[in-house]
Amino acid sequence: GYYITGHTNADGGRIALTAEADASTIYYYKDTHLQAYQSGKYIALNNDHYTFDKPAEGDKAAITASVITFATSPRVAGAYTIKSADRYLHYKSISETEVEVDRCGSDEALRHDWYLVEVEKQTITYIYKAGETELARQTVTEFAGMPYPASNVTLPWGYTVPTDALTGNIPVGEAEKVIECTLSLPFQFADSYDAIETNGFWYYLKFDSGNNYYLYHTAGKNYIALDSKDTKWKNKDLYSWGFVGDPINGFKIVNKAAGSTMILSSSTTMAGETGADTWPIMTVEEGLAEGNNTYWIPTDASTHATNGFFLAQKGFPNNRLNNRGKLAYWTGGAGSGSTFVVEARPFGPAAELAELLSE
């Protein structure tokens, strides 16, 4: 890329064509031909001539159909005289934030030489964070003063990049840009079973978006059964699930009826066709068998259900929970049969009574 710079002022002559009320001033606003640099006070040149378009309504007026051309073809770095229509580009004044440029007439004393300088793009690393935790990195390259390149990175489920995170233009010399991400999940989580219980962060887990089963703790059996939510529920605590942990490091999945010492777990070695014969159950966490998982990682399944998510064993992203007649796995992919949706269990006596009456 090329930048045009002048040699007639103390700032090195880098120019931005400014918007002033005086109609004699050459005005510049960003269009498809040229980019004005707010921070570096220079403009990028990529062709022989540039049209300065009228700015959006509400901005200061601009000269329309005004064209900048070079006296000679600017294909290499060097000094050139620049014309706008029948007048020459002339340095007028400079401030801390902008340089004003006029068009002068035939007076050769007012004609200034402007240098075309080839420059390299900057390399910038976007650092995506959630508080003190780094989520991801992305490397982009672009000229200083240009708009930031778009975000293109995969973040943990629930984290998004704010819409205003990459507004403005790239400062000269910027090498890193920290982007604070926001979190939005369809369920609340906590750092302990007791905190789940205290805050009432219990959920009914609807499973398999094609059939809408509900998971419940099948105490005393070597599998977890699937059922439909109806008025035949005898013990809603069996159907109540909580998430202990966080979306970055994973969640322990607990059950209200199973109590604080048990978590959902199974072997990470799959049995049967694509995991059909590996059945996670509520297991005592202390002394968990070697090779069993402790944590689960949720990932997006919103194409199968609103706010839907998959659950896979941490470190084994293909080991996703699935409906195989009972709670098991499907390692060959993920679809509606692996999709979970949460329904918040009413918390507090009044809310629980209202739920009971509604049934």
Side-chain angles (χ1 to χ4, degrees):
Y2 288 92
Y3 299 138
I4 184 171
T5 68
H7 70 290
T8 57
N9 62 71
D11 192 50
R14 293 182 295 186
I15 65 170
L17 301 177
T18 63
E20 299 291 342
D22 182 0
S24 66
T25 303
I26 297 176
Y27 301 117
Y28 171 70
Y29 281 83
K30 183 173 66 175
D31 62 17
T32 58
H33 304 289
L34 190 62
Q35 298 288 341
Y37 284 22
Q38 295 178 356
S39 60
K41 307 175 190 170
Y42 43 76
I43 54 179
L45 300 177
N46 301 301
N47 210 324
D48 285 337
H49 67 278
Y50 307 92
T51 301
F52 293 87
D53 292 341
K54 185 176 181 179
E57 185 176 352
D59 290 325
K60 297 179 180 179
I63 296 175
T64 58
S66 179
V67 178
I68 285 183
T69 59
F70 288 86
T72 56
S73 182
R75 297 305 182 191
V76 295
Y80 298 90
T81 302
I82 303 176
K83 294 178 66 176
S84 174
D86 59 346
R87 298 185 180 184
Y88 289 88
L89 199 64
H90 160 65
Y91 160 73
K92 185 177 179 181
S93 64
I94 185 171
S95 71
E96 290 297 320
T97 58
E98 61 190 13
V99 177
E100 188 176 345
V101 178
D102 266 355
R103 294 181 300 170
C104 68
S106 58
D107 188 350
E108 293 189 7
L110 295 178
R111 298 179 189 178
H112 293 142
D113 287 338
W114 300 88
Y115 290 107
L116 190 67
V117 180
E118 188 168 11
V119 297
E120 295 182 355
K121 292 183 177 180
Q122 292 183 186
T123 297
I124 305 169
T125 300
Y126 295 163
I127 303 174
Y128 299 88
K129 301 188 74 174
E132 296 301 315
T133 301
E134 183 175 317
L135 303 176
R137 290 191 174 214
Q138 176 190 354
T139 299
V140 298
T141 57
E142 186 52 276
F143 293 115
M146 296 290 281
Y148 287 98
S151 172
N152 182 21
V153 70
T154 300
L155 298 173
W157 180 61
Y159 285 99
T160 57
V161 177
T163 56
D164 60 351
L166 294 173
T167 56
N169 295 336
I170 301 169
V172 176
E174 183 176 48
E176 293 184 347
K177 183 173 181 63
V178 175
I179 298 174
E180 187 66 30
C181 300
T182 56
L183 177 64
S184 178
L185 295 178
F187 55 82
Q188 299 282 349
F189 55 89
D191 58 5
S192 69
Y193 177 97
D194 290 342
I196 295 286
E197 180 72 14
T198 298
N199 293 286
F201 293 161
W202 295 113
Y203 296 89
Y204 305 132
L205 276 180
K206 187 188 291 186
F207 184 49
D208 183 350
S209 59
N211 295 289
N212 291 330
Y213 293 109
Y214 286 77
L215 262 65
Y216 71 97
H217 170 43
T218 319
K221 295 186 178 181
N222 66 343
Y223 63 88
I224 284 182
L226 309 177
D227 200 355
S228 297
K229 180 185 177 185
D230 56 31
T231 56
K232 296 179 182 179
W233 284 15
K234 295 181 179 179
N235 185 346
K236 291 185 179 179
D237 287 355
L238 293 173
Y239 290 80
S240 299
W241 304 87
F243 300 86
V244 176
D246 62 71
I248 299 171
N249 299 299
F251 293 104
K252 298 176 185 178
I253 297 179
V254 296
N255 179 272
K256 186 174 175 66
S260 62
T261 63
M262 304 184 81
I263 60 172
L264 183 67
S265 178
S266 79
S267 172
T268 56
T269 301
M270 298 291 100
E273 183 181 1
T274 61
D277 296 332
T278 301
W279 307 326
I281 59 174
M282 296 306 296
T283 307
V284 176
E285 182 179 3
E286 186 177 353
L288 197 66
E290 185 177 354
N292 273 37
N293 74 302
T294 300
Y295 293 95
W296 302 87
I297 299 293
T299 54
D300 180 58
S302 58
T303 57
H304 299 286
T306 302
N307 291 326
F309 56 95
F310 305 125
L311 283 171
Q313 293 177 313
K314 183 178 180 179
F316 300 87
N318 292 326
N319 293 1
R320 298 184 185 92
L321 293 176
N322 185 267
N323 174 16
R324 309 299 290 267
K326 54 179 69 72
L327 185 63
Y329 294 88
W330 181 271
T331 61
S336 60
S338 295
T339 300
F340 287 89
V341 175
V342 296
E343 291 180 1
R345 176 175 172 173
F347 178 57
E352 291 176 2
L353 177 60
E355 182 190 36
L356 179 64
L357 294 175
S358 70
E359 298 176 353

